Amino acid sequence: MAVTSLLGAVLAHAIGPQPELAVWLLITPPAIALAAIDLAVHRLPDAVTLPLAVTTAALLGITALLPTAQGSWTRALLGAVAFAGGYFALFLISPNGIGFGDVKLALTIGLVLGWHGWDAVLAGAFAGQLLAVLHGLVLAAAHKTGRKTQIPFGPGMLGGAYTTVLLAGIS
C-alpha cells in the first residue's frame, strides 16, 4: 500500500494534471501486485495480465476522447503490438529465458508507453532489460543464483516502464 501511494504521488508529479495520469494511477496497484507475484513464484498470472491489458486499452481509448489528452490511442495500440511482438520473438528464441506471461505483460507496457511516443517505447524496453540484468547481477553477487537460475523478468519490465515515465517527465 505504501509503495503504491508513493509511486502514485511521484507519477502525479512527473505526469502532471493530464488525463493519462488517471490511467497510470489505476494500473499501478495491479502492476505492483504482478511484480510481487513474479518475484515470489516466477509467474505472471493470466487472471491479472490479460484483464490489465484490456482495461488499459479501454482507459486509454476513453482518455483519447478528452480534449486535453497528450497521447495517441492508435500509437498506444501499435506500441502494444510492437512491444509484445518483441517479447514474443524473445519467447520463441528462448522459451526458458522469457515466459509467456512476460509477453502478455508487454501488451500493457507497450500500451502505456506507446501512448507517450516511440521514444518512450524504446526507452522503456531498454530500461526494462537493464533493470532485469541489474537484478540478476545483484542476485549473483549475493550468491543466490547459479547458471540455470531463472530470474523473474516482470519486475524489470514494469520498473523500466515506470522509470521511463518518471525520469523523462512525460506529460
Side-chain angles (χ1 to χ4, degrees):
M1 181 83 146
V3 173
T4 304
S5 298
L6 177 62
L7 189 52
V10 175
L11 282 166
H13 177 73
I15 296 173
Q18 302 300 323
E20 51 269 19
L21 173 62
V23 177
W24 280 98
L25 294 176
L26 289 169
I27 69 169
T28 295
I32 290 172
L34 282 169
I37 292 166
D38 202 14
L39 284 169
V41 298
H42 295 226
R43 295 277 181 260
L44 291 166
D46 289 349
V48 182
T49 56
L50 296 175
L52 184 60
V54 171
T55 301
T56 302
L59 289 170
L60 287 173
I62 293 166
T63 301
L65 300 174
L66 300 174
T68 58
Q70 298 291 313
S72 164
W73 192 59
T74 303
R75 190 178 54 233
L77 295 174
L78 292 172
V81 170
F83 209 87
Y87 273 88
F88 184 66
L90 291 173
F91 172 76
L92 292 175
I93 292 166
S94 178
N96 291 329
I98 297 288
F100 203 67
D102 298 319
V103 175
K104 291 176 260 186
L105 178 59
L107 288 167
T108 298
I109 294 171
L111 282 163
V112 292
L113 292 178
W115 172 267
H116 295 290
W118 290 110
D119 289 345
V121 173
L122 293 173
F126 176 77
Q129 297 282 330
L130 180 62
L131 289 173
V133 167
L134 290 175
H135 179 220
L137 290 174
V138 167
L139 290 176
H143 304 290
K144 298 199 182 240
T145 63
R147 288 183 48 142
K148 304 263 182 190
T149 303
Q150 290 190 338
I151 296 171
F153 213 72
M157 293 170 66
L158 290 162
Y162 282 91
T163 299
T164 297
V165 171
L166 297 176
L167 292 181
I170 293 172
S171 60

